[in-house]
Amino acid sequence: MRLFAALRPPEYVLDHLEAALSGVMGPAGSGPPALRRIPRENLHITLAFYGEIPDGAASDVREALAEEATTTAPLHLRLSGSGSFNERSLWIGLAGEVPALTELMTACARAPYLIDEGGSRRPRPHLTVARSSRRAAPGGPARHSRRRRDREALGPSAMATAARALAVYRGPDWVAEEVALVASFLGEGPGGAPRYEVFDLLELGR
């Protein structure tokens, strides 16, 4: 079982975001072929990723998260701004009680079985909304460099254009009151996307 901890924005926040994304990239399932929209049901803010958990060990992660959740008050947040990570993923940023959110991410990383994808870097809260559909091309760094120069000569990519358009995005306020411990089943969702199933919900500050 692959597990991660996440915050899940409420439906009205996702409705507002969906309207903005559709205005920039078209409705879900359409838009620039270079971008793959994340299914709405999979949108979340990752707090920590634990990867493949041994049978019977999920309760260990759950207990550790529950202990950390009790020491964090509910968080006042809103989605704000955008950017991309190396032309691979398009994300929406967070505003509001972000320092407390990064502390919660650090706390969730203390649970067992963490996969530390960010190394020693400070957590950067975000919500991924699309990924590049371009497959990595073989040929090593030289070919990648040539392809990057070719893209620059042709103008901004679809992802860069979308990131600039969404940079002014400001979503409605909401209060995050619980951490979701989520199981991920690769390739079982629509179009080969992961299928997520909530394993448990842990209330903040209680």
Side-chain angles (χ1 to χ4, degrees):
M1 180 185 297
R2 293 164 57 90
L3 291 178
F4 62 90
L7 298 181
R8 306 168 75 212
E11 292 300 316
Y12 73 89
V13 172
L14 296 180
D15 289 342
H16 193 278
L17 176 62
E18 176 64 30
L21 295 177
S22 295
V24 171
M25 295 185 286
S30 65
L35 294 178
R36 289 183 293 109
R37 290 272 301 272
I38 303 297
R40 176 183 173 124
E41 61 270 22
N42 285 2
L43 293 174
H44 64 274
I45 299 153
T46 301
L47 301 176
F49 181 66
Y50 306 106
E52 198 72 33
I53 304 298
D55 291 343
S59 60
D60 295 337
V61 178
R62 190 258 176 217
E63 290 175 10
L65 283 179
E67 183 175 345
E68 299 293 352
T70 59
T71 64
T72 301
L75 303 171
H76 292 77
L77 302 168
R78 66 181 178 277
L79 298 176
S80 178
S82 69
S84 66
F85 292 132
N86 299 320
E87 289 281 311
R88 295 180 180 177
S89 61
L90 176 68
W91 50 262
I92 301 296
L94 277 293
E97 294 183 307
V98 174
L101 174 56
T102 57
E103 289 179 8
L104 175 60
M105 295 173 74
T106 299
C108 289
R110 289 195 282 266
Y113 304 107
L114 175 76
I115 293 180
D116 189 3
E117 296 179 322
S120 59
R121 291 176 297 181
R122 182 174 176 80
R124 188 174 184 177
H126 64 278
L127 185 151
T128 300
V129 295
R131 298 189 188 279
S132 172
S133 62
R134 290 191 299 268
R135 295 181 179 180
R143 178 169 295 183
H144 285 300
S145 179
R146 287 196 301 272
R147 291 191 173 214
R148 182 175 181 179
R149 289 197 299 270
D150 290 344
R151 289 198 303 268
E152 290 172 349
L154 291 172
S157 68
M159 184 167 292
T161 299
R164 281 201 298 272
L166 291 165
V168 297
Y169 177 73
R170 301 293 183 271
D173 294 345
W174 96 90
V175 180
E177 299 181 303
E178 58 191 15
V179 171
L181 182 59
V182 183
S184 174
F185 303 91
L186 298 181
E188 295 187 13
R195 177 176 64 85
Y196 295 154
E197 183 177 308
V198 175
F199 181 78
D200 206 348
L201 293 172
L202 308 168
E203 291 187 85
L204 293 174
R206 297 184 184 180

